[in-house]
Amino acid sequence: MIDTQTKIQFIGTGDAFGTAGRKNTCFHITTSEFSFLVDCGASSLPALNEYGIDTNSIDAIVLTHFHGDHFGGLPFFLLEAKHLKQRTRPLTIIGPDGVEEMVYNALESLYPGTTPLEPSFELLFKDYEAGDNIKL
């Protein structure tokens, strides 16, 4: 059930090519107790910053699939969390089977030598399969 404090903000609704100037897919959902993203496309971090959203307030990121316009922003998000924001709160990344490997592969591809990430915060990964109920 959605509580009366739930807010859904469309951060990006664009495709992989930024058609019509829209940012890659990213939705920010906040409740009275929790904040999370659905997808984190390559342009998500600049878009979150443009909207003034404190990325340290985000508890989880749920990925729908592994196209760059849906998860390509995670390396930037994680590096900012570690190096610029000095994040201390846990972060959970939930995605299709193999999410941890995919995220670390993307991070290593974009910034060789940054893995293992060894963040200053607890980083948790959870896999899901189509049809699963996800409990945040």
Side-chain angles (χ1 to χ4, degrees):
M1 179 158 116
I2 296 179
D3 68 31
T4 59
Q5 300 300 313
T6 299
K7 176 182 172 185
I8 300 172
Q9 188 172 8
F10 294 80
I11 305 303
T13 59
D15 56 23
F17 313 107
T19 302
R22 296 188 341 248
K23 304 284 195 283
N24 296 143
T25 305
C26 183
F27 306 102
H28 182 227
I29 295 101
T30 56
T31 70
S32 57
E33 299 177 8
F34 203 73
S35 172
F36 66 100
L37 299 180
V38 174
D39 286 334
C40 188
S43 60
S44 296
L45 186 59
L48 290 163
N49 288 330
E50 284 176 27
Y51 282 109
I53 296 169
D54 178 10
T55 54
N56 277 344
S57 71
I58 295 168
D59 299 296
I61 300 172
V62 179
L63 302 173
T64 59
H65 61 287
F66 296 130
H67 288 166
D69 56 324
H70 290 262
F71 100 108
L74 267 176
F76 307 108
F77 189 101
L78 293 172
L79 289 172
E80 180 195 60
K82 178 181 177 177
H83 296 293
L84 295 179
K85 298 282 183 130
Q86 288 85 42
R87 182 184 182 102
T88 56
R89 293 178 58 169
L91 177 67
T92 302
I93 299 174
I94 303 165
D97 188 37
V99 65
E100 182 173 5
E101 181 179 4
M102 288 297 288
V103 169
Y104 281 123
N105 285 342
L107 185 61
E108 188 62 29
S109 292
L110 294 172
Y111 293 96
T114 57
T115 56
L117 185 60
E118 298 177 8
S120 57
F121 56 95
E122 185 177 15
L123 182 58
L124 306 166
F125 291 92
K126 293 182 182 179
D127 292 355
Y128 73 84
E129 294 183 17
D132 284 354
N133 288 323
I134 299 171
K135 186 167 178 106
L136 301 174

